[in-house]
Amino acid sequence: MENIQLLLFLQENYNKMDKSYKILKDNPHISMLNKMKEEFNKLKKKYINKKNQLESINKKYCLLNDEIEALKKEVKEDDYILYNKCGNDLKMITTLQRDIEKKNKTIEEKENQAMALLEKEEVITNEIASLGKTLEKIRDEFNSYKENADKAQSKVKEEFERCKNEINVIRNKIPLELLKDFDEIKAQKKVAVALLQKNVCTGCKIKVSAITLDEINKGKEIVHCDNCGRILCKANLKDAE
Ligand SMILES: [Zn+2]
C-alpha cells in the first residue's frame, strides 16, 4: 500500500474511532431509559396509592359490618324485651318500638354505605389490576430495550477498540516524517487527509491550484492543498487495494 493510501486509511480509522467515542460517551439510549423509568415510577406511585385506598376501604367496610352486627344484636334484644318483658307498659312499648325503628333505619343506612364501599372496592380492584399489567409491560419493555442498548453499546465499544488497534498497525507502517506531518495537520484541523474530487479539495471545498494539480498528476507522493494545507488524496485511490 502506498503511503498516501495508508494516510487516508489512518484518517478513516480516526474518524470511525471518534464517532464511536462520541456514541460511547453520550450513550444515546440513556434518555429513553430514563424516560421509561420515570413513567414506571409515576405509575408505581399511583399503584401504591390505589392499594392504600383499597386497604382503607376494606377497613371502613369491616368497621361498618361490625357496627351493623352490633345494631342487629341490639334490635334482637329489644325485640325480646318488647315481646316478653313489657307486659302492658304502653310507654315502654312505644319507646322500644321507636328505638327499634330508629336502629333499623340506621342499619339500612349503614348497609347502603357498605354496599357503596363494595362497589368502590370493585372499581379500585380493577384499576389496580390494570395498573399492575401496565407496570409489568413497561418493566418488560425497559428490560428488553436495555438489553438491546447494552448490546449496541458493546458493539460500538468493539468498533472503538478495533479502530484503535488498526490505527496502531497503520501508524507502524508509515514513515515517521509523514506521521509527524499528519499529526500536526490533524491536531489543527481534525481531518488531515482530504480527497480530491473534480479538482476540489473536499477538506476546504476549494479548487486546488494548477501547480498543485500538476504535482498530483505527476505522481508526487505527498501533496498539500494550497488553501487549507491538508494532505490531498486522489478519489480513485480510495478504493484501490
Ligand atoms: Zn483544502
Side-chain angles (χ1 to χ4, degrees), residues 11-200:
Q11 180 64 60
E12 283 172 350
N13 273 286
Y14 270 116
N15 294 348
K16 280 187 210 158
M17 193 175 79
D18 287 350
K19 208 172 137 195
S20 303
Y21 177 75
K22 198 172 179 312
I23 295 173
L24 287 176
K25 200 178 74 162
D26 297 345
N27 195 344
H29 312 287
I30 286 285
S31 72
M32 183 63 183
L33 286 170
N34 282 341
K35 220 170 120 189
M36 287 167 115
K37 217 186 265 178
E38 213 174 276
E39 198 192 341
F40 183 86
N41 286 337
K42 220 165 93 189
L43 277 181
K44 180 130 193 230
K45 225 174 178 180
K46 215 168 156 189
Y47 180 84
I48 291 170
N49 274 341
K50 293 272 171 201
K51 281 234 162 188
N52 289 339
Q53 237 176 305
L54 189 65
E55 204 179 308
S56 116
I57 285 175
N58 282 335
K59 264 187 202 158
K60 267 189 209 158
Y61 181 79
C62 287
L63 219 68
L64 263 177
N65 256 349
D66 288 348
E67 285 168 6
I68 291 168
E69 287 311 309
L71 278 169
K72 279 184 176 168
K73 205 176 150 203
E74 278 179 35
V75 170
K76 216 172 170 183
E77 282 162 8
D78 289 347
D79 268 339
Y80 182 81
I81 298 168
L82 182 66
Y83 293 112
N84 298 294
K85 303 258 164 106
C86 287
N88 292 322
D89 189 341
L90 269 180
K91 199 181 164 198
M92 196 178 169
I93 291 173
T94 316
T95 310
L96 262 176
Q97 276 178 333
R98 220 179 274 153
D99 270 2
I100 291 170
E101 204 181 314
K102 214 171 140 193
K103 280 171 189 166
N104 274 331
K105 215 176 156 198
T106 312
I107 289 172
E108 202 188 324
E109 276 169 16
K110 286 189 186 291
E111 275 176 343
N112 285 338
Q113 284 171 19
M115 192 57 81
L117 281 179
L118 279 184
E119 279 165 15
K120 211 169 163 188
E121 187 193 15
E122 200 191 337
V123 171
I124 292 178
T125 303
N126 287 338
E127 281 172 352
I128 287 173
S130 148
L131 275 173
K133 265 185 201 156
T134 311
L135 278 172
E136 216 171 286
K137 199 175 144 230
I138 295 175
R139 201 197 49 212
D140 289 349
E141 277 169 5
F142 178 89
N143 286 337
S144 104
Y145 187 92
K146 188 168 188 307
E147 202 185 309
N148 286 332
D150 286 347
K151 266 187 211 158
Q153 284 301 87
S154 60
K155 260 193 185 160
V156 175
K157 181 99 201 327
E158 271 170 35
E159 167 77 355
F160 177 83
E161 293 299 333
R162 197 188 61 74
C163 292
K164 216 169 113 183
N165 291 334
E166 191 78 67
I167 285 169
N168 279 332
V169 172
I170 304 166
R171 288 184 73 94
N172 280 327
K173 291 180 184 168
I174 299 172
L176 270 179
E177 199 60 29
L178 265 183
L179 269 185
K180 206 178 146 226
D181 191 16
F182 176 93
D183 288 340
E184 273 171 14
I185 302 170
K186 190 177 173 292
Q188 273 181 28
K189 303 190 183 282
K190 248 187 117 184
V191 174
V193 181
L195 286 176
L196 186 70
Q197 272 169 346
K198 289 178 181 162
N199 299 342
V200 170

Side-chain angles (χ1 to χ4, degrees), residues 194 201-206 208 225-230 232:
C201 162
T202 52
C204 63
K205 314 273 188 263
I206 286 176
V208 297
C225 167
D226 43 74
N227 180 59
C228 69
R230 290 186 176 91
L232 288 168

